[in-house]
Amino acid sequence: MAGRHEGGAVDTLRAPTAHRAVAALANPVVAYFVARLLVRLVPALPTLLTYAVCVLVGVAVGWRAWTARVDLGTRSMLVHNTLATTRVERRGVKRIAESGRVEWRPGTERAMRLPAEALHGPWWTLGTGRTAYALNRERARSWLRTMPPHVPPDAPHDVPREGAA
């Protein structure tokens, strides 16, 4: 499937659909209000163009919010957040924290913490969907625990699951 890393994901973790939908729909609305603010603060800006650009950026960010996920592969995890996508090598992952952050050490660099939207609910959900996020964190931890003892660098990449498109 196009867009997948390593030839196919072993598992994909997503936030609950309602949470992703609210986040996706809120972005164009916020972008509209940002455009209104810009038009009022900078009257020299062309009105129609300002609204169009802001709303298009809002739709693009909204699409990213809708497609936010964590793809677990054989060698690495691909964390798709609203604003960025980051590949984290499996051997570098130290732990998956309760806060939904992936703690990892890329090579010899200092440890880093990467928030993952699919692993921890945002503040505005008011704790709803807690079970879904806990299940996602546990599946990610299980993926980390079941790491093969040695994967040679020239080993073939992931094989897609049965029935995966």
Side-chain angles (χ1 to χ4, degrees):
M1 173 180 238
R4 291 290 174 103
H5 74 297
E6 299 179 6
V10 173
D11 203 3
T12 300
L13 309 175
R14 295 183 187 274
T17 304
H19 295 179
R20 291 184 298 125
V22 169
L25 294 173
N27 283 293
V29 173
V30 169
Y32 170 80
F33 286 112
V34 167
R36 281 186 61 162
L37 182 64
L38 282 172
V39 167
R40 287 185 184 219
L41 292 177
V42 187
L45 287 175
T47 306
L48 186 60
L49 185 61
T50 302
Y51 278 102
V53 168
C54 286
V55 170
L56 282 175
V57 168
V59 168
V61 173
W63 176 253
R64 290 283 302 192
W66 173 252
T67 59
R69 65 189 183 277
V70 175
D71 289 330
L72 304 174
T74 301
R75 294 187 191 180
S76 63
M77 72 181 349
L78 201 56
V79 180
H80 300 272
N81 285 329
T82 299
L83 297 179
T85 297
T86 305
R87 180 184 308 273
V88 178
E89 293 301 318
R90 191 174 190 165
R91 296 223 177 267
V93 177
K94 298 303 176 198
R95 73 182 190 117
I96 310 291
E98 281 299 314
S99 64
R101 292 181 185 271
V102 177
E103 296 180 7
W104 60 296
R105 184 178 302 274
T108 60
E109 299 175 24
R110 66 183 183 93
M112 300 177 75
R113 291 178 184 89
L114 173 68
E117 295 170 5
L119 301 178
H120 186 70
W123 65 269
W124 51 264
T125 62
L126 303 174
T128 61
R130 187 175 299 139
T131 305
Y133 291 108
L135 180 62
N136 282 350
R137 284 191 303 274
E138 188 50 43
R139 286 171 60 192
R141 289 178 185 135
S142 175
W143 168 83
L144 188 58
R145 284 190 304 267
T146 59
M147 179 171 42
H150 176 68
V151 179
D154 58 347
H157 294 295
D158 290 340
V159 177
R161 292 182 293 184
E162 289 294 320

